Amino acid sequence: MKELIEIALSQYGVKEIAGDKDNPTIVNYFKEMGQSWVKDDETAWCSAFANWVALKGGCQGSGKLNARSWLNTGEEISEPQQGDVVVFWREKPDSWKGHVAYFINYSEDKKYIYCLGGNQGNMVCIKAYDASRLLGFRGLNKVA
């Protein structure tokens, strides 16, 4: 959903603050998506950002902080469009760890997937991920 890309792009460059201080914008992602107990920008925040974007776009989010929770959100799709959710594994395929972001496009050789997301190098940006780490694509539904 291109609308979600526009919302996510409005946050481009938001990044963690090193040291004892925390970026209030990142802390707000947690608060607005219903996880107000998180008070820092050190807690993994890719899913908080994805939930915040979905919320602002009037779409269903996972409501959870673990990236793999998005595998049960929306509808499974095989041919992603810009703005669909993409979920990757981290460390190993059967780990509980993952990463979630919004699909931009494949590289020309389809070996990489370009994503717009939060906590990518500790900031909101577009980054390429190895396509071999893909767990799935999800199309989000508008909340009625």
Side-chain angles (χ1 to χ4, degrees):
M1 207 178 285
K2 282 200 174 217
E3 173 185 339
L4 298 178
I5 292 295
E6 291 174 18
I7 294 164
L9 279 173
S10 77
Q11 303 297 295
Y12 200 93
V14 169
K15 60 183 170 182
E16 294 177 16
I17 299 173
D20 293 341
K21 297 199 184 287
D22 297 298
N23 187 323
T25 301
I26 295 171
V27 174
N28 189 59
Y29 299 149
F30 289 103
K31 179 182 176 190
E32 287 198 34
M33 59 88 49
Q35 302 288 342
S36 58
W37 61 271
V38 179
K39 306 286 187 202
D40 63 72
D41 62 10
E42 300 300 314
T43 301
W45 54 278
C46 67
S47 186
F49 179 74
N51 272 289
W52 182 87
V53 170
L55 177 72
K56 295 296 178 190
C59 292
Q60 170 191 13
S62 77
K64 297 180 180 172
L65 294 181
N66 60 317
R68 289 180 183 232
S69 66
W70 288 86
L71 292 171
N72 300 313
T73 304
E75 297 176 30
E76 185 176 8
I77 52 175
S78 57
E79 297 295 323
Q81 302 295 311
Q82 201 171 81
D84 287 334
V85 170
V86 57
V87 183
F88 299 97
W89 57 266
R90 257 187 334 121
E91 294 183 3
K92 54 187 179 179
D94 59 353
S95 165
W96 64 270
K97 295 179 180 181
H99 181 68
V100 62
Y102 290 93
F103 178 81
I104 298 292
N105 210 339
Y106 280 102
S107 61
E108 201 170 303
D109 62 8
K110 293 228 177 192
K111 289 184 178 179
Y112 295 94
I113 300 171
Y114 289 94
C115 302
L116 171 57
N119 206 13
Q120 299 186 157
N122 297 331
M123 66 187 295
V124 176
C125 65
I126 295 173
K127 186 175 175 184
Y129 287 86
D130 193 315
S132 69
R133 299 184 119 181
L134 176 68
L135 289 174
F137 295 110
R138 307 298 289 191
L140 299 184
N141 301 313
K142 285 280 192 180
V143 177

